[in-house]
């Protein structure tokens, strides 16, 4: 534990416990859903691949003032990550099937998705998860963090993690795109999760590309979401064993 945090630690732990925080590693999970067979026929499944482009010049990244926490400051200079664009490709865009799956139900993975607090930032910044799938929140830093989720349709939570290595597992029960996270200790820390009832989502990579696999044949509404530039949608029809290409362009 970093020495300058010790005078405040007891107070913070007590206050976080009083508002639903604390250091227990796992919340009470909802009753497990009935086992669901995968309705997708691998013999006819198709997919999507594509790219996210940024048209225009993004505002320059700003240096983050992290002097409020000596541990974070000593890690070196950090820049804002609102726009990450390389060669015209836009990173951290959440792409998912918004409509077209009808009443199909899909198995829920039991392997957790991990959201790490590392280098005084959330890693990853944008990610997806299925409703009912565990989200493991980890503190990899030697300083106090907290994870404050502020959903509209799911239960809000605000959890303190004062020690390196602490983990907390949360389960979202309802689909919601997107759920924002922030750290009340470090106001520059932000992340977003897309909670879905199916596994058909992706996040654009450093070059702006994305891919969604194992989609059953059908006609779908595909939505692309960016934290500053909003959303775009396109319709696409996928035939048996067909992979379609889509391109989204966000403009500044």
């Amino acid at each position: 534990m970093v020495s300058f945090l010790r005078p405040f630690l007891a107070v913070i732990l007590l206050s976080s416990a009083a508002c639903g925080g604390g250091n227990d590693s796992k919340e009470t999970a909802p009753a497990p859903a009935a086992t669901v067979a995968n309705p997708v026929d691998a013999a006819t499944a198709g997919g999507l691949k594509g790219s996210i482009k940024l048209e225009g010049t993004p505002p320059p990244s700003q240096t983050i003032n992290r002097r409020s926490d000596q541990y974070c400051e000593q890690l070196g200079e950090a820049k804002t990550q609102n726009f990450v664009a390389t060669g015209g490709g836009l990173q951290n865009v959440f792409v998912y099937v918004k409509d077209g799956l009808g009443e199909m139900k899909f198995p829920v993975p039991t392997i957790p998705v991990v959201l790490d607090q590392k280098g005084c930032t959330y890693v990853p910044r944008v990610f997806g998860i299925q409703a009912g799938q565990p989200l493991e929140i980890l503190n990899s830093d030697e300083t106090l963090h907290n994870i404050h989720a502020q959903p509209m349709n799911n239960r809000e939570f605000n959890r303190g993690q004062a020690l390196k290595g602490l983990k907390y597992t949360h389960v979202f029960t309802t689909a919601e795109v997107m759920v924002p996270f922030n750290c009340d200790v470090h106001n520059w820390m932000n992340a977003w999760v897309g909670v879905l009832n199916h596994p058909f989502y992706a996040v654009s990579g450093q070059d702006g590309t994305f891919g969604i696999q194992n989609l059953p044949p059908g006609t779908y509404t595909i939505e692309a979401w960016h934290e500053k530039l909003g959303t775009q949608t396109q319709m696409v029809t996928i035939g048996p064993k067909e992979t379609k290409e889509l391109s989204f362009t966000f403009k500044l």
Side-chain angles (χ1 to χ4, degrees), residues 65-77 120:
N65 182 351
R66 304 201 291 187
R67 289 194 294 271
S68 61
D69 187 323
Q70 182 182 346
Y71 175 87
C72 297
E73 185 182 25
Q74 70 185 9
L75 295 176
E77 185 179 72
C120 294

Side-chain angles (χ1 to χ4, degrees), residues 92-96 112-116 122-130 133-137 147 157 170 172 176-181 190-196 201-204 225:
N92 288 331
V93 176
F94 187 71
V95 184
Y96 71 103
V113 173
V114 177
L115 177 61
D116 200 356
Y122 288 129
V123 181
R125 185 178 182 86
V126 178
F127 63 102
I129 197 170
Q130 280 186 244
Q133 183 178 7
L135 171 64
E136 184 178 275
I137 301 165
I147 184 84
F157 68 90
H170 178 79
F172 291 103
E176 183 172 352
V177 178
M178 303 285 288
V179 177
F181 297 95
N190 299 102
W192 288 264
V193 61
V195 184
L196 301 173
Y201 60 85
V203 178
S204 61
W225 172 98

Side-chain angles (χ1 to χ4, degrees), residues 39-41 44-48 97-102 104 106 200 212-222 234-246:
V40 180
D41 182 357
T44 60
L48 286 173
V97 173
K98 184 175 184 177
D99 188 45
L101 292 167
M104 283 190 285
F106 298 88
F200 305 116
I212 299 175
Q213 305 301 320
N214 300 316
L215 265 171
T219 298
Y220 301 103
T221 301
I222 308 300
Q234 291 189 41
M235 298 284 292
V236 63
T237 298
I238 297 174
K241 303 296 290 183
E242 183 179 26
T243 297
K244 282 286 184 70
E245 292 194 28
L246 287 180

Side-chain angles (χ1 to χ4, degrees), residues 61-230:
S61 297
Q62 303 296 313
T63 300
I64 298 171
N65 182 351
R66 304 201 291 187
R67 289 194 294 271
S68 61
D69 187 323
Q70 182 182 346
Y71 175 87
C72 297
E73 185 182 25
Q74 70 185 9
L75 295 176
E77 185 179 72
K79 298 283 190 177
T80 55
Q81 299 291 308
N82 306 121
F83 295 93
V84 182
T86 303
L90 185 60
Q91 189 176 353
N92 288 331
V93 176
F94 187 71
V95 184
Y96 71 103
V97 173
K98 184 175 184 177
D99 188 45
L101 292 167
E103 300 300 319
M104 283 190 285
K105 298 185 183 299
F106 298 88
V108 176
T110 57
I111 297 175
V113 173
V114 177
L115 177 61
D116 200 356
Q117 295 156 108
K118 184 176 183 179
C120 294
T121 190
Y122 288 129
V123 181
R125 185 178 182 86
V126 178
F127 63 102
I129 197 170
Q130 280 186 244
Q133 183 178 7
L135 171 64
E136 184 178 275
I137 301 165
L138 170 67
N139 183 4
S140 291
D141 288 334
E142 295 181 350
T143 192
L144 168 69
H145 286 303
N146 86 296
I147 184 84
H148 188 179
Q150 301 182 69
M152 298 294 292
N153 301 327
N154 287 274
R155 180 176 61 83
E156 181 179 2
F157 68 90
N158 190 352
R159 208 76 177 183
Q161 291 183 318
L163 300 174
K164 182 178 181 179
L166 285 181
K167 298 178 181 179
Y168 166 64
T169 301
H170 178 79
V171 177
F172 291 103
T173 58
T174 303
E176 183 172 352
V177 178
M178 303 285 288
V179 177
F181 297 95
N182 67 276
C183 176
D184 295 334
V185 180
H186 308 113
N187 61 8
W188 62 83
M189 290 178 61
N190 299 102
W192 288 264
V193 61
V195 184
L196 301 173
N197 289 323
H198 59 76
F200 305 116
Y201 60 85
V203 178
S204 61
Q206 187 174 12
D207 60 355
T209 60
F210 67 90
I212 299 175
Q213 305 301 320
N214 300 316
L215 265 171
T219 298
Y220 301 103
T221 301
I222 308 300
E223 182 165 273
W225 172 98
H226 184 264
E227 64 182 85
K228 293 295 184 182
L229 300 175

